[in-house]
Every structure is written in structure tokens, then in C-alpha cells.
Amino acid sequence: FNAKIPELSNPSVCMRDPQRVQEILQSMVKAGSNTVQVISDFDMTLTRFAYNGKRCPTCHNILDNSNLISNDCKIELKELLNTYYPIEIDSSRSIEEKLPLMVEWWTKAHELLVQQKIRKDLLAMVVQESDAMLREGYKLLFDHLYEHSIPLLIFSAGIGDILEEVIRQAGVFHPNVKVFSNYMDFDESGELRAFKGELIHIYNKREGALLNTGHFQELRTRPNVLLLGDSLGDLTMADGVHDMENILKIGFLNDKVEERKQSYLDSYDIVLLKDETLEVPNAIMHIYNQLRMFHDNLLF
Ligand code: C5P
Ligand code: MG
């Protein structure tokens, strides 16, 4: 079976239990592509972590670095990033310990952004001028899922308005894409006044999923899940799925690779080490096609 997916032998691929991966894949492919749904994180999962040695921005960073933010505010946002990002990726602290600190980060950053009276009509330009980059192979993935009517849920603790603009400008915001994220709330004059609804941060995606039961109810005929993430917090994104049958979890490990490798191997089925491409997810989606062609050949 792995011979059908030569990409699983890429040097970036690590698996704690390759046999188990094979079993999950076999069972998912057997059930057919009409029973699968994809649930993916956005920042540093669908987008690149680095390009030519330079870090790529998250949704928040796209705004932070833009000319919509005053210099003083930029400095404050940078300080927040320098304080809290190392905590986010610190493998020596537990999720319980990190959770309140992450809430603090998001809350402080959103307060600062709201003070900047950001205008809705300038967001498209900000994204256009940013260094935002989707991972190599993104078009293949988005187009494939759309063409095969496979639902894609993008579940992000970033900023929904920015995220949507990134995929719209990349030409892949297809109708099969649904987004759960933090959305901006603008006043009548089009200025940011708050963020809507419950805050989504990296460690409460489970709660976010359970608030959206309607979405998962609609997809109840798709109990097989391909999950893509880059944080251990992303593992709970599929907690709202009804009567799950199989889940294959692919984790991108971008930063502090050696320290974090074991914990990622323990919780993700496939771990991709410093892999800036979507080659492996694409190869996995592609085996559904191979199998269908195989069946078609049998029929005719
Ligand atoms: O889309 P995703 O759920 O990955 O978005 C969360 C990411 O946004 C986190 O990994 C975090 O590093 C980043 N972040 C940021 N600035 C903030 C808050 C979060 O860059 N103020
Ligand atoms: Mg992420």
C-alpha cells in the first residue's frame, strides 16, 4: 500500500506506527471519497512557515506588519509576539500551563488591533502587499477537494477576514470551503470595533468545534477525517465530528523540531519535519482517484 504513496518515503516524513497509518488509509479509501472530509488548521499548516530562510506571516502578523498599524502599536505587538510565541512552542510546559497565557496573548493583541480603527475596505490591499504564502501544492489540494466535492473546513485561531482574503486572492476560496475563525466586527463606518463571538485560540479548538454542531451535523455522512495541523492544539479540531470512523492526523513540525518531535510522533499519525509542501496530503487524496480508476477498469 505504501508503494502506492511513494511520498510517504520522503525524508521529511516520520511515523511512530507506519502499520497503523496503512490500516487507517486502507479503511478510509475503502469507504470512498464520498465519506471523507478534510479539517485543516490555517497558519503554518496551509501557509508556509518560511521561504528562502525568512519566516512567513500568520494572519495576525499580516495585520501587525501592515501600514494600518501605528509604529507604537507595532512595537507593542512585536513585544507580545516575542513574549508569547516562545511559550506557545515550549515543549517543557504543559497545555494546562500554557492555556491562560495564550488567552492573554490573543486578548491583548486583539485589544491593540481594535484601538487601531482598522478599516475593512483596506484589508484586501494589506493582504496583497503582505508576504503571505500558501504551501507549495496548495492549488492542487484545494482544486482537487472542490472537484471531488470533498468538504474542507479551515479551523483557525487566526483572523477569519484575513484568512479568507488570502485564499480568495490565491483563487482557491471554492464553495466547498468553510471557515471557523475569529472574525472582525466593523461599525457602520467600516472601522474595526471588536472581534465577533467566542475567542478561538490554539488550545480551545475543541470548544469551538462543539459550538458548531450544525456544520458537523450536515456532514454526518462523512465519518472519515483527514486532519492537518501544526500545533498539538489542532488535534481537537475534529471533536465535533459525528460517529467518527477513521481519522488520519498529519502534523507539520516547523520549529524546535528536535525538542518537540517525540510529542508530535505520539499524537500525529504522520509528522512532516520542516516540510514546506502539501505533497503528502496531496498524495493521500490522490489514492482515492487511483482506486476509482482501478474500479472503473474492472467495470469496463
Ligand atoms: O490558524 P492557526 O490556528 O494556526 O492560528 C494561530 C497562530 O497564530 C498561532 O500559531 C500563533 O503563533 C499565531 N498568532 C500570532 N499573533 C497573535 C496570536 C496568534 O501570530 N497575536
Ligand atoms: Mg497553525
Side-chain angles (χ1 to χ4, degrees):
F1 211 79
N2 282 11
K4 281 216 175 99
I5 314 179
E7 288 79 0
L8 288 179
S9 308
N10 284 359
S12 64
V13 174
C14 280
M15 295 177 268
R16 196 188 48 161
D17 188 351
Q19 180 66 33
R20 175 87 193 111
V21 169
Q22 180 167 328
E23 283 163 16
I24 299 171
L25 275 170
Q26 256 163 351
S27 157
M28 282 176 68
V29 170
K30 195 167 160 224
S33 68
N34 58 346
T35 70
V36 74
Q37 55 176 305
V38 179
I39 303 182
S40 179
D41 169 57
F42 187 70
D43 292 303
M44 310 298 124
T45 295
L46 290 176
T47 59
R48 293 183 71 116
F49 179 74
Y51 184 64
N52 285 340
K54 199 172 158 258
R55 283 292 304 272
C56 294
T58 63
C59 294
H60 283 93
N61 302 155
I62 290 173
L63 263 187
D64 301 352
N65 301 338
S66 76
N67 60 11
L68 303 186
I69 309 293
S70 73
N71 283 337
D72 287 349
C73 185
K74 275 188 180 151
I75 294 168
E76 289 187 70
L77 287 163
K78 194 78 187 163
E79 275 172 13
L80 291 179
L81 184 68
N82 294 340
T83 307
Y84 293 102
Y85 177 68
I87 301 174
E88 175 186 346
I89 59 164
D90 184 349
S91 54
S92 71
R93 302 191 204 212
S94 67
I95 292 186
E96 292 70 39
E97 194 185 335
K98 293 190 210 184
L99 189 141
L101 298 166
M102 293 298 105
V103 175
E104 217 171 85
W105 182 15
W106 262 256
T107 310
K108 286 180 181 170
H110 286 188
E111 273 167 17
L112 286 169
L113 291 175
V114 168
Q115 286 167 15
Q116 296 297 299
K117 304 198 179 308
I118 292 165
R119 275 175 44 197
K120 185 179 170 62
D121 59 340
L122 298 178
L123 293 182
M125 178 205 72
V126 160
V127 169
Q128 187 106 53
E129 292 176 351
S130 75
D131 298 326
M133 263 183 113
L134 292 159
R135 275 187 203 274
E136 216 177 295
Y138 75 86
K139 200 162 162 41
L140 200 62
L141 181 67
F142 278 83
D143 289 353
H144 179 96
L145 296 178
Y146 174 52
E147 282 156 19
H148 294 85
S149 306
I150 298 171
L152 167 62
L153 170 63
I154 301 178
F155 196 158
S156 170
I159 302 172
D161 308 73
I162 300 284
L163 176 174
E164 285 193 6
E165 198 52 45
V166 172
I167 57 176
R168 189 177 296 120
Q169 289 185 16
V172 292
F173 195 2
H174 300 313
N176 64 319
V177 177
K178 166 108 187 163
V179 179
F180 294 171
S181 189
N182 299 302
Y183 278 90
M184 296 170 139
D185 187 12
F186 297 95
D187 65 17
E188 318 75 59
S189 67
E191 274 179 6
L192 178 64
R193 65 168 163 207
F195 280 82
K196 291 180 187 166
E198 295 292 321
L199 174 71
I200 302 174
H201 56 79
I202 51 166
Y203 293 127
N204 73 347
K205 290 193 173 182
R206 177 183 160 79
E207 289 73 10
L210 298 179
L211 282 175
N212 286 284
T213 48
H215 170 76
F216 294 109
Q217 180 65 24
E218 273 176 43
L219 297 187
R220 66 193 174 281
T221 57
R222 295 178 176 271
N224 295 302
V225 178
L226 178 69
L227 180 145
L228 309 177
D230 79 294
S231 151
L232 297 180
D234 295 329
L235 290 159
T236 62
M237 292 189 299
D239 284 11
V241 173
H242 289 267
D243 304 320
M244 178 121 60
E245 273 169 22
N246 298 286
I247 180 163
L248 184 72
K249 294 171 277 191
I250 302 181
F252 288 88
L253 181 48
N254 305 307
D255 205 358
K256 294 265 180 295
V257 170
E258 281 317 311
E259 287 105 295
R260 297 200 288 166
K261 193 169 160 189
Q262 194 54 51
S263 58
Y264 274 62
L265 282 170
D266 289 341
S267 31
Y268 280 104
D269 302 303
I270 300 176
V271 179
L272 301 173
L273 306 176
K274 287 196 178 293
D275 182 340
E276 294 290 356
T277 79
L278 289 164
E279 247 177 61
V280 169
N282 275 328
I284 286 172
M285 291 320 300
H286 199 73
I287 53 168
Y288 281 99
N289 271 26
Q290 291 185 351
L291 195 86
R292 209 199 44 201
M293 286 189 312
F294 173 71
H295 280 298
D296 287 353
N297 283 340
L298 287 183
L299 285 173
F300 299 107

